[in-house]
Amino acid sequence: MAEHEYYEVNGRQIRVRPTESGQEIDEYGNFHRQPNHFTKGFGEGENPVEADRYILFWGKGCNWSNRASIARELLGLDKAIKVEIVDWGDYEKPLGWEFVNSPDHINKETGAQFLSELYYNADDDYEGRTTVPALVDYKEKKVVNNDYHHLTNHFETAFKPLHKKGAPDLYPEELREEIDKLNVWLFENVNNAVYRAQFAESLQAFKDGYETFFAGLEAMDKRLENQRFLFGDYITDSDIRLYTTLARFDYSYSRNIGPCVHRLVDYKNLWPYARDLYQTPGFGDTTNFAAIKKHYHIDCCPSNEFAIVPNGPDESLWLTPHGREKLSGK
């Protein structure tokens, strides 16, 4: 293994991720998202389930980490799991997410300045991108879970003893098999399909991602025609996953993948459905459109040398009446 490279930041030696590691584009130009590395669960001999032990690091622009922040809010885990919002710093080297909202950019629970430090504390041989969401055990000062596929499910099940009174059942036992199936489908056909188009490095790879994404949106628009949420009258884990993609569609994705079949606001059912969720506590208050635009137009777009962030769309439209309550039987 090559020697680690370090970069000095304010007198601190920060390890730099090798730029050649973890390539996610295959020989045909297809984007393959890196697998999650820290996937260990909670309870029963694994990471202990207890209050005042974990902190959730997430980024306002990031689709995947926004899911965990929404679930935390809905379930009332804010009293048990701390939270800090991270962002990208302005450095010459690829240092990743920084604790820019902490005093002097040093997270007080761990003493770290960059999320990568907590990744390397957990696995010194880790070479992938240091991603959010990241659930960190601040007693051990290390990442214990970065599995955006299942972190919300852990919040919904293992952390149930720490839920607030009257917390919604986002992952009802009788629906779990169907929710799991739909979540896999959503990842392949909606959540990640748009990134397959955005990060494609061949025309065919772009076409595959683009067509899959819009076919997925059409299928979800049809599913929502006669029911308020994806599984009926109540919000489930699947609604969180679809929402975080929809919230980024007109503000970022649509501008990064070229002319679109439709905008979100053009869908008969998806657009009011997205507004319904946005107006539900836990969704809108964790959605920051300015941060979303910055993340996708600046942080994820090095070719944008003048750091131009487009104006619009009009955020006030998200607060207009949606009329979806008429579909609920409760």
Side-chain angles (χ1 to χ4, degrees):
M1 180 175 291
E3 238 180 81
H4 299 320
E5 178 185 354
Y6 291 85
Y7 182 66
E8 186 171 320
V9 180
N10 299 325
R12 296 166 58 90
Q13 293 296 314
I14 305 299
R15 184 168 149 190
V16 179
R17 172 181 175 259
T19 54
E20 72 280 1
S21 69
Q23 296 300 317
E24 296 170 89
I25 303 295
D26 68 18
E27 60 183 310
Y28 304 106
N30 295 292
F31 170 69
H32 299 279
R33 187 170 297 279
Q34 72 175 26
N36 297 314
H37 187 73
F38 299 102
T39 59
K40 189 176 180 182
F42 297 84
E44 298 183 3
E46 299 187 302
N47 297 303
V49 175
E50 56 186 60
D52 300 320
R53 186 178 187 109
Y54 300 107
I55 181 167
L56 172 67
F57 293 110
W58 72 285
K60 290 181 179 179
C62 172
N63 173 356
W64 315 106
S65 66
N66 195 180
R67 299 173 171 187
S69 71
I70 292 172
R72 174 182 172 272
E73 293 289 325
L74 293 176
L75 298 171
L77 287 171
D78 51 298
K79 299 292 191 297
I81 298 174
K82 296 184 179 182
V83 71
E84 183 167 339
I85 295 167
V86 297
D87 207 340
W88 291 91
D90 185 19
Y91 299 100
E92 298 174 10
K93 299 289 184 177
L95 301 180
W97 298 102
E98 185 179 6
F99 304 129
V100 297
N101 294 302
S102 288
D104 300 319
H105 295 195
I106 303 297
N107 171 253
K108 68 178 181 179
E109 285 83 8
T110 63
Q113 182 175 351
F114 294 89
L115 182 59
S116 60
E117 298 175 67
L118 305 176
Y119 268 77
Y120 301 137
N121 284 352
D123 183 353
D124 190 55
D125 295 328
Y126 185 76
E127 292 190 342
R129 290 185 292 109
T130 53
T131 58
V132 288
L135 195 67
V136 167
D137 181 332
Y138 54 82
K139 291 185 178 180
E140 300 290 336
K141 296 180 171 53
K142 65 180 184 180
V143 173
V144 294
N145 191 286
N146 75 333
D147 184 5
Y148 58 84
H149 286 302
H150 298 109
L151 184 54
T152 56
N153 299 141
H154 294 312
F155 285 174
E156 292 151 358
T157 55
F159 282 85
K160 193 166 187 175
L162 302 178
H163 289 183
K164 68 181 179 182
K165 185 178 180 179
D169 189 355
L170 301 174
Y171 196 45
E173 195 163 352
E174 69 274 14
L175 290 176
R176 285 180 190 174
E177 184 177 350
E178 291 304 308
I179 289 174
D180 290 344
K181 287 179 181 177
L182 181 59
N183 287 350
V184 170
W185 187 93
L186 283 170
F187 176 79
E188 294 173 349
N189 292 275
V190 178
N191 304 138
N192 197 52
V194 69
Y195 291 102
R196 287 170 46 212
Q198 183 171 322
F199 298 146
E201 294 188 3
S202 73
L203 181 58
Q204 186 60 52
F206 170 79
K207 184 174 183 289
D208 289 345
Y210 183 94
E211 292 181 352
T212 298
F213 176 62
F214 283 103
L217 292 183
E218 287 290 343
M220 290 298 94
D221 192 63
K222 183 176 181 181
R223 181 181 180 122
L224 290 163
E225 186 169 4
N226 296 307
Q227 58 189 45
R228 187 171 182 180
F229 303 113
L230 291 174
F231 283 93
D233 291 341
Y234 300 103
I235 293 168
T236 65
D237 185 84
S238 298
D239 293 293
I240 297 173
R241 297 176 190 231
L242 179 55
Y243 169 81
T244 56
T245 293
L246 298 180
R248 287 154 179 76
F249 184 19
D250 285 357
Y251 290 87
S252 298
Y253 298 148
S254 64
R255 300 173 186 228
N256 290 327
I257 62 175
C260 291
V261 176
H262 297 296
R263 301 166 300 165
L264 174 61
V265 296
D266 297 325
Y267 285 95
K268 176 184 176 183
N269 303 307
L270 282 175
W271 173 224
Y273 163 81
R275 302 202 311 277
D276 190 1
L277 291 174
Y278 179 82
Q279 293 169 33
T280 300
F283 287 86
D285 45 9
T286 62
T287 303
N288 186 303
F289 293 117
I292 288 170
K293 289 192 290 186
K294 173 186 175 293
H295 181 63
Y296 289 97
H297 290 284
I298 297 179
D299 299 338
C300 296
C301 189
S303 61
N304 185 3
E305 60 178 313
F306 299 110
I308 296 171
V309 177
N311 292 326
D314 183 358
E315 295 179 23
S316 68
L317 295 177
W318 285 80
L319 294 173
T320 58
H322 51 77
R324 296 284 295 177
E325 62 277 353
K326 68 180 183 293
L327 294 174
S328 178
K330 305 297 179 183

